[in-house]
Amino acid sequence: MNHSQHDRNRWAILLCVLPLLLLCSSGVPAREPGKLANVMILATGGTIAGTGATSTTTVGYTAATVGVDRLIQAVPELKTVANVKGEQVFQIASENMNNEYWLKLAKRVNALLKQDDVDGIVITHGTDTIEETAYFLNLVVKSKKPVVIVGAMRPSTAMSADGPINLYNATILAGSEAAVGKGVLVLLNDQINGAREVTKTNTANADTFRSWELGFLGYMQDNKPYFYRQSTRRHTADTEFDVSNLDTLPAVDIVYGYANMNRLPIDAFVAAGDKGIVHAGVGDGSLARPAVEPALIDARKKGVIIVRSSRVGNGIVARNGEAKDDELDFVVSDTLSPQKARILLMLALTKTNDTKAIQQMFYTY
Ligand code: ASP
């Protein structure tokens, strides 16, 4: 073999092995070309599993009545895009979501993702709290394999139900290598949203999920995901949170800010033993004086961690802006919505009570 042949062979070997090496560096082995991905569908209820009295019933239906087997049977096309298996983890309307359901779901997701025969997970879920479950899992799932949460705005019995196409797209996305390492994804209406930013914005319309100013991550189109952005914040395998040995989470609640607000809810949560309070303040997380700020100062003196968030929906809550956070020993939520700040604060409290360390977590996740 002459030199140039030898060099060509070396390049050929390198080019074949390189993609494999790259994927292995994410901790997720490359899939054999032409092989269907193994996707596990975990069902939790919601409108995607809901039924109404007639095909035109799109409100006033009952959520969480159809089991996972029927959900899968209703979309025979799933078999052409992945080897799917289903499991009913629980069956609830997602307004009834709680910390215990989250822990159960997270443990099941982590156990399944450790298996070599699971390439990705789809979770069917109600849309009311889908964004919260997504962010919780985004912080506690210990794998880079895709986790896609999907719901529907119309029940399964409705004319133009959106569940089947959303489930079909979610299964493709969960089986795709493009979704590896992107964090937990929320998919409805052909739009791929990241867990940290996504929020429900319309009570009834199928086009309801937005990531507001920071934007969604990509589209599903013609059986393929197209990604255009990804989160700069740490998630999944790169977080410090571990729920494997937890059965409960620290008590954290949200107090909503509004004109004429009084201190009653803050005092009630403190009396009930809360470890943390998220204040969904007006504007830049402003605190009403004299009613609210003194109540939060009193709460902090009793050891409760205070996070200043905003009800506005966009923008950074500025540290030491609308309150003297350094002096009062408060934390700010950065751009997290109050409901997601509550989740991060609960998980932060499983690690530390140090407000500086907690503040750093809000700038990290
Ligand atoms: N209330 C329902 C739920 O969150 C709404 C839905 O799924 O769209 O379970």
PDB file of all heavy atoms in Angstrom, residues 16-43:
ATOM      1  N   CYS A  16     -15.764   7.397   9.662  1.00  0.00           N
ATOM      2  CA  CYS A  16     -16.806   6.458  10.101  1.00  0.00           C
ATOM      3  C   CYS A  16     -16.967   6.486  11.615  1.00  0.00           C
ATOM      4  O   CYS A  16     -18.070   6.403  12.140  1.00  0.00           O
ATOM      5  CB  CYS A  16     -16.462   5.018   9.711  1.00  0.00           C
ATOM      6  SG  CYS A  16     -16.562   4.767   7.963  1.00  0.00           S
ATOM      7  N   VAL A  17     -15.834   6.603  12.302  1.00  0.00           N
ATOM      8  CA  VAL A  17     -15.856   6.463  13.762  1.00  0.00           C
ATOM      9  C   VAL A  17     -16.256   7.770  14.452  1.00  0.00           C
ATOM     10  O   VAL A  17     -16.850   7.758  15.522  1.00  0.00           O
ATOM     11  CB  VAL A  17     -14.461   5.980  14.243  1.00  0.00           C
ATOM     12  CG1 VAL A  17     -14.307   6.084  15.739  1.00  0.00           C
ATOM     13  CG2 VAL A  17     -14.239   4.551  13.796  1.00  0.00           C
ATOM     14  N   LEU A  18     -15.988   8.906  13.766  1.00  0.00           N
ATOM     15  CA  LEU A  18     -16.198  10.210  14.408  1.00  0.00           C
ATOM     16  C   LEU A  18     -17.623  10.424  14.946  1.00  0.00           C
ATOM     17  O   LEU A  18     -17.795  10.790  16.115  1.00  0.00           O
ATOM     18  CB  LEU A  18     -15.815  11.329  13.442  1.00  0.00           C
ATOM     19  CG  LEU A  18     -15.518  12.670  14.097  1.00  0.00           C
ATOM     20  CD1 LEU A  18     -14.359  12.531  15.078  1.00  0.00           C
ATOM     21  CD2 LEU A  18     -15.190  13.705  13.047  1.00  0.00           C
ATOM     22  N   PRO A  19     -18.662  10.166  14.112  1.00  0.00           N
ATOM     23  CA  PRO A  19     -20.021  10.402  14.660  1.00  0.00           C
ATOM     24  C   PRO A  19     -20.285   9.558  15.893  1.00  0.00           C
ATOM     25  O   PRO A  19     -20.926  10.008  16.848  1.00  0.00           O
ATOM     26  CB  PRO A  19     -20.950   9.972  13.515  1.00  0.00           C
ATOM     27  CG  PRO A  19     -20.106   9.840  12.308  1.00  0.00           C
ATOM     28  CD  PRO A  19     -18.691   9.676  12.751  1.00  0.00           C
ATOM     29  N   LEU A  20     -19.758   8.321  15.887  1.00  0.00           N
ATOM     30  CA  LEU A  20     -19.943   7.414  17.017  1.00  0.00           C
ATOM     31  C   LEU A  20     -19.297   7.994  18.271  1.00  0.00           C
ATOM     32  O   LEU A  20     -19.885   8.031  19.348  1.00  0.00           O
ATOM     33  CB  LEU A  20     -19.280   6.080  16.664  1.00  0.00           C
ATOM     34  CG  LEU A  20     -19.886   4.846  17.270  1.00  0.00           C
ATOM     35  CD1 LEU A  20     -21.233   4.568  16.627  1.00  0.00           C
ATOM     36  CD2 LEU A  20     -18.964   3.658  17.042  1.00  0.00           C
ATOM     37  N   LEU A  21     -18.057   8.520  18.068  1.00  0.00           N
ATOM     38  CA  LEU A  21     -17.336   9.111  19.202  1.00  0.00           C
ATOM     39  C   LEU A  21     -18.092  10.312  19.748  1.00  0.00           C
ATOM     40  O   LEU A  21     -18.235  10.490  20.944  1.00  0.00           O
ATOM     41  CB  LEU A  21     -15.934   9.567  18.774  1.00  0.00           C
ATOM     42  CG  LEU A  21     -14.935   8.449  18.515  1.00  0.00           C
ATOM     43  CD1 LEU A  21     -13.626   9.036  18.024  1.00  0.00           C
ATOM     44  CD2 LEU A  21     -14.697   7.635  19.782  1.00  0.00           C
ATOM     45  N   LEU A  22     -18.636  11.133  18.817  1.00  0.00           N
ATOM     46  CA  LEU A  22     -19.340  12.337  19.252  1.00  0.00           C
ATOM     47  C   LEU A  22     -20.544  11.977  20.098  1.00  0.00           C
ATOM     48  O   LEU A  22     -20.774  12.544  21.148  1.00  0.00           O
ATOM     49  CB  LEU A  22     -19.795  13.150  18.032  1.00  0.00           C
ATOM     50  CG  LEU A  22     -18.685  13.889  17.320  1.00  0.00           C
ATOM     51  CD1 LEU A  22     -19.219  14.589  16.089  1.00  0.00           C
ATOM     52  CD2 LEU A  22     -18.026  14.891  18.260  1.00  0.00           C
ATOM     53  N   LEU A  23     -21.322  10.986  19.625  1.00  0.00           N
ATOM     54  CA  LEU A  23     -22.505  10.623  20.393  1.00  0.00           C
ATOM     55  C   LEU A  23     -22.134   9.988  21.716  1.00  0.00           C
ATOM     56  O   LEU A  23     -22.766  10.213  22.726  1.00  0.00           O
ATOM     57  CB  LEU A  23     -23.392   9.685  19.579  1.00  0.00           C
ATOM     58  CG  LEU A  23     -24.361  10.473  18.722  1.00  0.00           C
ATOM     59  CD1 LEU A  23     -24.942   9.612  17.640  1.00  0.00           C
ATOM     60  CD2 LEU A  23     -25.465  11.057  19.586  1.00  0.00           C
ATOM     61  N   CYS A  24     -21.054   9.187  21.701  1.00  0.00           N
ATOM     62  CA  CYS A  24     -20.646   8.566  22.955  1.00  0.00           C
ATOM     63  C   CYS A  24     -20.254   9.635  23.964  1.00  0.00           C
ATOM     64  O   CYS A  24     -20.459   9.469  25.150  1.00  0.00           O
ATOM     65  CB  CYS A  24     -19.500   7.602  22.730  1.00  0.00           C
ATOM     66  SG  CYS A  24     -20.106   6.107  21.948  1.00  0.00           S
ATOM     67  N   SER A  25     -19.707  10.778  23.475  1.00  0.00           N
ATOM     68  CA  SER A  25     -19.310  11.826  24.406  1.00  0.00           C
ATOM     69  C   SER A  25     -20.540  12.411  25.107  1.00  0.00           C
ATOM     70  O   SER A  25     -20.442  12.971  26.174  1.00  0.00           O
ATOM     71  CB  SER A  25     -18.527  12.924  23.692  1.00  0.00           C
ATOM     72  OG  SER A  25     -19.414  13.655  22.892  1.00  0.00           O
ATOM     73  N   SER A  26     -21.737  12.275  24.523  1.00  0.00           N
ATOM     74  CA  SER A  26     -22.956  12.715  25.217  1.00  0.00           C
ATOM     75  C   SER A  26     -23.447  11.621  26.162  1.00  0.00           C
ATOM     76  O   SER A  26     -24.438  11.800  26.849  1.00  0.00           O
ATOM     77  CB  SER A  26     -24.055  13.070  24.213  1.00  0.00           C
ATOM     78  OG  SER A  26     -24.613  11.887  23.677  1.00  0.00           O
ATOM     79  N   GLY A  27     -22.767  10.488  26.145  1.00  0.00           N
ATOM     80  CA  GLY A  27     -23.166   9.395  27.024  1.00  0.00           C
ATOM     81  C   GLY A  27     -24.262   8.537  26.428  1.00  0.00           C
ATOM     82  O   GLY A  27     -24.708   7.579  27.041  1.00  0.00           O
ATOM     83  N   VAL A  28     -24.707   8.884  25.245  1.00  0.00           N
ATOM     84  CA  VAL A  28     -25.787   8.122  24.608  1.00  0.00           C
ATOM     85  C   VAL A  28     -25.222   7.437  23.370  1.00  0.00           C
ATOM     86  O   VAL A  28     -24.781   8.113  22.455  1.00  0.00           O
ATOM     87  CB  VAL A  28     -26.960   9.055  24.217  1.00  0.00           C
ATOM     88  CG1 VAL A  28     -28.061   8.274  23.539  1.00  0.00           C
ATOM     89  CG2 VAL A  28     -27.481   9.776  25.446  1.00  0.00           C
ATOM     90  N   PRO A  29     -25.203   6.100  23.347  1.00  0.00           N
ATOM     91  CA  PRO A  29     -24.595   5.413  22.216  1.00  0.00           C
ATOM     92  C   PRO A  29     -25.337   5.675  20.902  1.00  0.00           C
ATOM     93  O   PRO A  29     -26.552   5.874  20.913  1.00  0.00           O
ATOM     94  CB  PRO A  29     -24.690   3.929  22.590  1.00  0.00           C
ATOM     95  CG  PRO A  29     -25.439   3.846  23.856  1.00  0.00           C
ATOM     96  CD  PRO A  29     -25.776   5.202  24.338  1.00  0.00           C
ATOM     97  N   ALA A  30     -24.596   5.667  19.819  1.00  0.00           N
ATOM     98  CA  ALA A  30     -25.213   5.884  18.508  1.00  0.00           C
ATOM     99  C   ALA A  30     -26.121   4.704  18.174  1.00  0.00           C
ATOM    100  O   ALA A  30     -25.861   3.587  18.586  1.00  0.00           O
ATOM    101  CB  ALA A  30     -24.125   6.001  17.454  1.00  0.00           C
ATOM    102  N   ARG A  31     -27.196   5.005  17.466  1.00  0.00           N
ATOM    103  CA  ARG A  31     -28.142   3.961  17.096  1.00  0.00           C
ATOM    104  C   ARG A  31     -27.706   3.324  15.780  1.00  0.00           C
ATOM    105  O   ARG A  31     -27.124   3.992  14.939  1.00  0.00           O
ATOM    106  CB  ARG A  31     -29.506   4.608  16.906  1.00  0.00           C
ATOM    107  CG  ARG A  31     -30.627   3.684  17.178  1.00  0.00           C
ATOM    108  CD  ARG A  31     -31.879   4.478  17.472  1.00  0.00           C
ATOM    109  NE  ARG A  31     -31.731   5.335  18.622  1.00  0.00           N
ATOM    110  CZ  ARG A  31     -32.231   6.559  18.713  1.00  0.00           C
ATOM    111  NH1 ARG A  31     -32.870   7.083  17.710  1.00  0.00           N
ATOM    112  NH2 ARG A  31     -32.057   7.270  19.798  1.00  0.00           N
ATOM    113  N   GLU A  32     -27.983   2.039  15.640  1.00  0.00           N
ATOM    114  CA  GLU A  32     -27.641   1.387  14.367  1.00  0.00           C
ATOM    115  C   GLU A  32     -28.480   1.991  13.255  1.00  0.00           C
ATOM    116  O   GLU A  32     -29.697   2.113  13.404  1.00  0.00           O
ATOM    117  CB  GLU A  32     -27.950  -0.102  14.450  1.00  0.00           C
ATOM    118  CG  GLU A  32     -26.813  -0.931  14.966  1.00  0.00           C
ATOM    119  CD  GLU A  32     -27.239  -2.377  15.095  1.00  0.00           C
ATOM    120  OE1 GLU A  32     -27.712  -2.938  14.090  1.00  0.00           O
ATOM    121  OE2 GLU A  32     -27.105  -2.913  16.203  1.00  0.00           O
ATOM    122  N   PRO A  33     -27.842   2.359  12.130  1.00  0.00           N
ATOM    123  CA  PRO A  33     -28.595   2.982  11.050  1.00  0.00           C
ATOM    124  C   PRO A  33     -29.739   2.065  10.576  1.00  0.00           C
ATOM    125  O   PRO A  33     -29.572   0.852  10.495  1.00  0.00           O
ATOM    126  CB  PRO A  33     -27.555   3.147   9.931  1.00  0.00           C
ATOM    127  CG  PRO A  33     -26.238   2.887  10.559  1.00  0.00           C
ATOM    128  CD  PRO A  33     -26.437   2.165  11.833  1.00  0.00           C
ATOM    129  N   GLY A  34     -30.886   2.666  10.305  1.00  0.00           N
ATOM    130  CA  GLY A  34     -32.021   1.901   9.781  1.00  0.00           C
ATOM    131  C   GLY A  34     -32.854   1.214  10.848  1.00  0.00           C
ATOM    132  O   GLY A  34     -33.914   0.674  10.544  1.00  0.00           O
ATOM    133  N   LYS A  35     -32.368   1.226  12.082  1.00  0.00           N
ATOM    134  CA  LYS A  35     -33.127   0.562  13.162  1.00  0.00           C
ATOM    135  C   LYS A  35     -34.095   1.546  13.805  1.00  0.00           C
ATOM    136  O   LYS A  35     -33.721   2.694  14.067  1.00  0.00           O
ATOM    137  CB  LYS A  35     -32.149   0.066  14.231  1.00  0.00           C
ATOM    138  CG  LYS A  35     -31.926  -1.423  14.207  1.00  0.00           C
ATOM    139  CD  LYS A  35     -31.299  -1.852  15.507  1.00  0.00           C
ATOM    140  CE  LYS A  35     -31.749  -3.240  15.870  1.00  0.00           C
ATOM    141  NZ  LYS A  35     -31.232  -3.625  17.183  1.00  0.00           N
ATOM    142  N   LEU A  36     -35.313   1.086  14.094  1.00  0.00           N
ATOM    143  CA  LEU A  36     -36.271   1.973  14.764  1.00  0.00           C
ATOM    144  C   LEU A  36     -35.853   2.186  16.216  1.00  0.00           C
ATOM    145  O   LEU A  36     -35.350   1.267  16.865  1.00  0.00           O
ATOM    146  CB  LEU A  36     -37.665   1.365  14.754  1.00  0.00           C
ATOM    147  CG  LEU A  36     -38.429   1.333  13.424  1.00  0.00           C
ATOM    148  CD1 LEU A  36     -39.826   0.751  13.639  1.00  0.00           C
ATOM    149  CD2 LEU A  36     -38.508   2.705  12.794  1.00  0.00           C
ATOM    150  N   ALA A  37     -36.085   3.376  16.703  1.00  0.00           N
ATOM    151  CA  ALA A  37     -35.781   3.668  18.113  1.00  0.00           C
ATOM    152  C   ALA A  37     -36.803   2.986  19.019  1.00  0.00           C
ATOM    153  O   ALA A  37     -37.945   2.747  18.615  1.00  0.00           O
ATOM    154  CB  ALA A  37     -35.843   5.178  18.328  1.00  0.00           C
ATOM    155  N   ASN A  38     -36.364   2.673  20.244  1.00  0.00           N
ATOM    156  CA  ASN A  38     -37.277   2.124  21.254  1.00  0.00           C
ATOM    157  C   ASN A  38     -37.777   3.262  22.130  1.00  0.00           C
ATOM    158  O   ASN A  38     -36.995   3.864  22.865  1.00  0.00           O
ATOM    159  CB  ASN A  38     -36.555   1.106  22.137  1.00  0.00           C
ATOM    160  CG  ASN A  38     -36.066  -0.068  21.319  1.00  0.00           C
ATOM    161  OD1 ASN A  38     -36.738  -0.512  20.389  1.00  0.00           O
ATOM    162  ND2 ASN A  38     -34.883  -0.564  21.639  1.00  0.00           N
ATOM    163  N   VAL A  39     -39.057   3.559  22.011  1.00  0.00           N
ATOM    164  CA  VAL A  39     -39.616   4.700  22.741  1.00  0.00           C
ATOM    165  C   VAL A  39     -40.675   4.198  23.726  1.00  0.00           C
ATOM    166  O   VAL A  39     -41.586   3.465  23.367  1.00  0.00           O
ATOM    167  CB  VAL A  39     -40.226   5.732  21.768  1.00  0.00           C
ATOM    168  CG1 VAL A  39     -40.962   6.830  22.524  1.00  0.00           C
ATOM    169  CG2 VAL A  39     -39.128   6.338  20.892  1.00  0.00           C
ATOM    170  N   MET A  40     -40.523   4.617  24.950  1.00  0.00           N
ATOM    171  CA  MET A  40     -41.469   4.261  26.006  1.00  0.00           C
ATOM    172  C   MET A  40     -42.466   5.402  26.148  1.00  0.00           C
ATOM    173  O   MET A  40     -42.058   6.568  26.286  1.00  0.00           O
ATOM    174  CB  MET A  40     -40.661   4.093  27.295  1.00  0.00           C
ATOM    175  CG  MET A  40     -41.392   3.464  28.381  1.00  0.00           C
ATOM    176  SD  MET A  40     -41.574   1.705  28.058  1.00  0.00           S
ATOM    177  CE  MET A  40     -42.820   1.355  29.270  1.00  0.00           C
ATOM    178  N   ILE A  41     -43.744   5.095  26.133  1.00  0.00           N
ATOM    179  CA  ILE A  41     -44.770   6.128  26.324  1.00  0.00           C
ATOM    180  C   ILE A  41     -45.353   5.987  27.725  1.00  0.00           C
ATOM    181  O   ILE A  41     -45.973   4.978  28.056  1.00  0.00           O
ATOM    182  CB  ILE A  41     -45.880   6.010  25.252  1.00  0.00           C
ATOM    183  CG1 ILE A  41     -45.263   6.190  23.853  1.00  0.00           C
ATOM    184  CG2 ILE A  41     -46.984   7.042  25.502  1.00  0.00           C
ATOM    185  CD1 ILE A  41     -46.243   6.103  22.701  1.00  0.00           C
ATOM    186  N   LEU A  42     -45.090   6.986  28.548  1.00  0.00           N
ATOM    187  CA  LEU A  42     -45.602   6.988  29.924  1.00  0.00           C
ATOM    188  C   LEU A  42     -46.837   7.888  29.972  1.00  0.00           C
ATOM    189  O   LEU A  42     -46.749   9.080  29.649  1.00  0.00           O
ATOM    190  CB  LEU A  42     -44.546   7.520  30.886  1.00  0.00           C
ATOM    191  CG  LEU A  42     -43.236   6.732  30.962  1.00  0.00           C
ATOM    192  CD1 LEU A  42     -42.306   7.354  31.997  1.00  0.00           C
ATOM    193  CD2 LEU A  42     -43.499   5.271  31.290  1.00  0.00           C
ATOM    194  N   ALA A  43     -47.953   7.315  30.346  1.00  0.00           N
ATOM    195  CA  ALA A  43     -49.198   8.100  30.347  1.00  0.00           C
ATOM    196  C   ALA A  43     -49.526   8.571  31.757  1.00  0.00           C
ATOM    197  O   ALA A  43     -49.377   7.814  32.722  1.00  0.00           O
ATOM    198  CB  ALA A  43     -50.340   7.256  29.799  1.00  0.00           C
TER     199      ALA A  43
END
